Amino acid sequence: MSFNEIFNNLDHWKKLILSSTSFQALTKTKTDLLGKKGLITSAFKSMQTLSVDEKKEFGAKINEIKEELESAFSEQQKKLEDYEIASKLRTELIDVTLPSNLHIGSKHLITQTIKRIKSFYQARGFDVIDGPELETEFYNFDALNIPEHHPARQSQDTFYVKNQAGRLLRTQTSSVQIHTLQKIQGPVRMISIGKTYRNDQLDATHSPMFHQMEGLVVDEKPLSIGHLKNELKKFIGFFFDVDDVSIRFRPSFFPFTEPSMEFDCRYKKVNGNVVLHKDGDRWLELGGAGIVHPNVFKNCGIDKKLYGFAWGIGVDRITMLKYGVSDIRNLFDTDNRFLKHYK
Ligand code: DAH
């Protein structure tokens, strides 16, 4: 292409550049004109054969054209970029006023309750101890002075592990008393909370998996039922948020305590809800307790004289009472509405 042709084409090229509708088209035109083998570059090269004066004249002109083309290219490049951003904004629009569908998890009511109970006892100097859910007959029964013929041993209550003699899912957290005493061999104040298992039919008040809390206080000095009662009153007052708790003991039987008792707490019904009250006219059964049987210490390899009291409470039951949950299945059937309600 002659120099004159180049000069005459300037307007045509500018139009071509400024009407490009894609980055691809724009780049192609740029390569054709200003690329290594482009028209303008070749024009510069072909100036070698010209005289000095001609070089001056044409060189200045081509430089001018080159600059005009470059500015047209950057103008169009910017237009295309703006257009791209605008169309992205249009198609990828986010309406921040729409309700969010993010589901942020929360702690289950039982988890919250267990945490609360643990921190209550920790603050009072108790050890919080976890024990295994997969147990042996020794920890779940033998060491707790539960003789072989005791009904609790029969398989209707207990989940035994297939083909593993003496292996079972613990039926009570009392087994953690044994682990603790075996290890400590002396005075202790501990609680343990966790899952327990019994072969029960699932209904409104029974679940084959449930939660228990176990408490154990052991000392070298004599401990009385009065100490036990005081301990229980403190916990119940804390848990149900009441100042004055009225509890009573009823004689009962547990092989690992002697004497054994069950404890109840006075309450009133207010609008159908359970409200603990020291002047309540009804009694709520809360758990079992007693003075540690000497055989338990013996079975843990302790031969010095120790005194202790222990108690056990159904964690699901007291949680249901506190929060007005009438069906234990609500705790375990993972209905999101329930989980959200108690979050
Ligand atoms: N382990 C008993 C149960 O599952 C509850 C219990 C009763 C625990 C008396 C104790 C106790 O520590 O002293 O029914």
Side-chain angles (χ1 to χ4, degrees), residues 174-306:
S174 303
S175 55
V176 189
Q177 286 190 30
I178 306 303
H179 288 285
T180 309
L181 287 172
Q182 271 189 337
K183 211 167 162 186
I184 293 184
Q185 298 281 310
V188 67
R189 284 150 66 83
M190 66 78 105
I191 60 143
S192 185
I193 310 183
K195 293 187 169 71
T196 43
Y197 303 85
R198 286 183 201 179
N199 196 356
D200 282 332
Q201 204 57 42
L202 185 66
D203 62 27
T205 53
H206 295 86
S207 161
M209 187 283 290
F210 54 105
H211 297 82
Q212 276 193 343
M213 173 180 88
E214 191 74 15
L216 173 70
V217 173
V218 171
D219 207 335
E220 281 162 355
K221 287 178 278 182
L223 290 170
S224 70
I225 289 177
H227 291 117
L228 167 61
K229 191 169 186 174
N230 182 50
E231 200 53 62
L232 293 175
K233 279 175 89 166
K234 275 196 179 130
F235 172 69
I236 296 163
F238 151 77
F239 188 82
F240 289 99
D241 234 340
V242 285
D243 286 337
D244 203 355
V245 181
S246 168
I247 68 169
R248 75 172 179 195
F249 286 135
R250 280 177 292 111
S252 186
F253 173 77
F254 300 103
F256 38 93
T257 43
E258 178 58 34
S260 299
M261 54 213 94
E262 279 169 80
F263 56 95
D264 308 334
C265 180
R266 271 192 198 276
Y267 77 101
K268 282 186 197 173
K269 274 229 154 158
V270 181
N271 303 327
N273 292 324
V274 172
V275 176
L276 265 65
H277 199 283
K278 66 177 176 24
D279 302 323
D281 54 342
R282 298 159 184 246
W283 291 98
L284 193 64
E285 284 180 31
L286 286 180
I291 299 293
V292 178
H293 196 292
N295 283 352
V296 173
F297 293 127
K298 215 185 289 166
N299 294 338
C300 294
I302 299 171
D303 48 21
K304 61 187 163 205
K305 182 74 187 141
L306 289 178

Side-chain angles (χ1 to χ4, degrees), residues 67-137:
E67 273 165 28
E68 280 203 47
L69 291 175
E70 274 171 347
S71 88
F73 277 121
S74 32
E75 186 185 324
Q76 189 63 11
Q77 174 81 18
K78 169 106 185 31
K79 238 193 250 166
L80 288 178
E81 281 170 3
D82 287 351
Y83 178 79
E84 194 182 54
I85 292 171
S87 75
K88 264 195 183 162
L89 283 177
R90 234 178 300 120
T91 53
E92 297 171 16
L93 188 77
I94 296 169
D95 183 349
V96 292
T97 63
L98 282 176
S100 140
N101 59 1
L102 275 182
H103 294 294
I104 295 172
S106 58
K107 293 219 159 67
H108 190 276
L109 182 59
I110 290 293
T111 310
Q112 293 175 43
T113 303
I114 291 174
K115 247 185 120 177
R116 247 186 98 224
I117 298 177
K118 283 181 174 176
S119 44
F120 167 76
Y121 278 107
Q122 264 160 346
R124 299 184 54 245
F126 277 67
D127 288 325
V128 173
I129 297 176
D130 281 332
E133 289 170 32
L134 183 60
E135 268 298 3
T136 63
E137 278 182 315

